[in-house]
Amino acid sequence: MSAPGVTDVPVLSVRDLRKYFPIRTGVLSRVTGHVKAVDGVSFDIHAGETFALVGESGCGKSTTGRTILRLTGATGGEVFYQGEDVLGASGERMRRLRKAMQIVFQDPYSALNPRMTVGAAIGEILRVHRKAAGAEVRERVEEVLVRCGLESYHSWRYPHEFSGGQRQRVVIARALALDPRFIVADEPISALDVSIQSQIINLLEELQDSFQLTYLFISHDLSVVRHMADRVGVMYLGKLVEVAEKREFYRQPLHPYSQALLSAIPVSDPTVKKKRIILQGDVPSPANPPSGCPFHTRCPYVMDVCRTVSPQLLQTETGHQVACHLVHPVT
Ligand code: SF4
């Protein structure tokens, strides 16, 4: 597919993105197969929007985020940032794209160099990307630290001198330093104490409002996603199986896998009775995914056609995109 048109260009367009990891065996390390971590994923994210990717661990959501940012090479597909081809960019164009597209990792401790003060770490990024020089570097470092709820003197401290929540604020400040427009937030609160998770979520929301940021928010926690997201994409075995506007998704999920995920969220109102859908079996190996619908080995509604025909992600009248033969019967 070609680049989106110049009018109403989404901030990010992902088209048929694929990331396969080779499986090597034997003394000669021959490639004997592939793990299809991301397998034909397409979606758009518009300016100021938070698009959440959800699914169980290993479904490919983090690999999708990293492949979009070229932290790992894509096997195929296309990514456009404001109409610019990300996967084909090089030189000055790629340098510009790297400034505009940042990531906040799950584990703030391993995301920071333990031997550098946070001021030195953020300053290095500013210099490498020629965002600031000389005295401006310190000014900018202190500005982003304060903007993220820290103090300017924190720039002299090392990562181990911070609490987990403060470290995640440092990681967010580092992402913010280059003045990005698009941020991949990859499970940004799952390594933190529950008591401080909401502070980081509030910070991400404040920054989004202040700087018109667009987020790809990756999470396995559907309660947090309900709070953060504008639209939700559900991944299973490297594929998107449902995409919907948040309210519609939580009101009436259409894919059986989405229904099972949502049935597991606790409800705060004790008068509301909710039936938990227990899925049978484990997630199949992405190295050897099932034929037809990838969910057919666990789906409570499986039909014969599901075992042989792969359902396409198609739009419904309510605006959901769903990959399921129940919703879009094969004719
Ligand atoms: Fe279940 Fe079939 Fe729909 Fe897959 S296509 S989710 S197996 S009903």
Side-chain angles (χ1 to χ4, degrees):
M1 189 180 288
S2 60
V6 286
T7 55
D8 191 26
V9 177
V11 169
L12 192 86
S13 287
V14 177
R15 293 289 176 266
D16 194 24
L17 190 65
R18 280 162 282 136
K19 175 65 188 179
Y20 301 166
F21 293 100
I23 301 167
R24 296 178 188 277
T25 47
V27 282
L28 297 174
S29 285
R30 282 218 180 87
V31 175
T32 52
H34 287 91
V35 172
K36 296 182 174 180
V38 181
D39 194 16
V41 165
S42 301
F43 58 86
D44 289 339
I45 313 181
H46 290 267
E49 187 180 42
T50 298
F51 181 74
L53 272 185
V54 305
E56 291 162 290
S57 169
C59 69
K61 53 193 191 304
S62 289
T63 308
T64 301
R66 283 158 196 255
T67 311
I68 287 169
L69 297 183
R70 286 181 56 178
L71 300 179
T72 180
T75 304
E78 293 171 300
V79 176
F80 297 99
Y81 172 78
Q82 294 189 329
E84 275 196 67
D85 177 9
V86 175
L87 302 185
S90 59
E92 190 50 39
R93 271 181 55 220
M94 193 58 219
R95 186 191 292 272
R96 210 161 19 79
L97 287 169
R98 289 222 183 276
K99 276 195 226 176
M101 305 167 76
Q102 290 289 307
I103 186 164
V104 173
F105 291 104
Q106 173 178 1
D107 178 3
Y109 199 69
S110 59
L112 295 166
N113 183 340
R115 286 182 291 276
M116 283 177 108
T117 63
V118 302
I122 298 173
E124 182 182 55
I125 287 169
L126 290 167
R127 281 189 209 92
V128 166
H129 286 275
R130 298 184 207 138
K131 186 78 183 164
E136 292 166 358
V137 173
R138 179 135 304 278
E139 272 172 39
R140 179 68 182 152
V141 168
E142 293 181 359
E143 184 190 351
V144 289
L145 288 176
V146 170
R147 191 64 195 77
C148 291
L150 297 162
E151 304 291 340
S152 51
Y153 64 79
H154 282 138
S155 67
W156 300 102
R157 293 199 176 161
Y158 289 87
H160 73 268
E161 297 178 85
F162 293 94
S163 67
Q166 284 177 320
R167 265 198 294 274
Q168 193 58 302
R169 287 177 190 273
V170 171
V171 170
I172 293 169
R174 187 180 61 175
L176 205 65
L178 294 174
D179 214 7
R181 286 288 165 268
F182 171 70
I183 292 182
V184 174
D186 186 4
E187 300 270 12
I189 60 164
S190 55
L192 305 177
D193 283 354
V194 175
S195 58
I196 48 170
Q197 288 184 346
S198 60
Q199 295 173 18
I200 297 300
I201 289 296
N202 290 343
L203 174 64
L204 288 170
E205 288 186 318
E206 280 165 33
L207 296 174
Q208 182 170 42
D209 287 347
S210 300
F211 301 107
Q212 290 82 50
L213 298 173
T214 302
Y215 289 145
L216 173 60
F217 188 82
I218 295 168
S219 179
H220 68 280
D221 186 337
L222 283 161
S223 302
V224 175
V225 166
R226 183 176 213 155
H227 179 78
M228 274 297 281
D230 297 302
R231 281 187 306 130
V232 181
V234 181
M235 285 188 75
Y236 187 79
L237 277 182
K239 292 179 186 291
L240 270 175
V241 296
E242 181 160 6
V243 178
E245 189 271 326
K246 185 218 355 223
R247 231 176 301 271
E248 273 299 309
F249 177 73
Y250 283 86
R251 191 181 69 81
Q252 192 177 27
L254 296 181
H255 195 281
Y257 179 58
S258 310
Q259 291 165 0
L261 288 181
L262 282 172
S263 79
I265 306 182
V267 282
S268 48
D269 183 350
T271 62
V272 174
K273 292 265 180 293
K274 202 164 70 162
K275 189 164 177 282
R276 173 102 193 251
I277 302 168
I278 308 285
L279 292 176
Q280 303 300 316
D282 295 326
V283 181
S285 165
N288 187 21
S291 58
C293 172
F295 189 55
H296 88 248
T297 53
R298 302 170 80 199
C299 180
Y301 311 109
V302 60
M303 305 171 283
D304 282 347
V305 65
C306 306
R307 298 189 175 90
T308 52
V309 180
S310 177
Q312 302 301 303
L313 190 72
L314 300 173
Q315 186 132 341
T316 67
E317 283 173 5
T318 53
H320 290 235
Q321 289 175 284
V322 191
C324 175
H325 295 313
L326 276 180
V327 181
H328 305 290
V330 176
T331 50

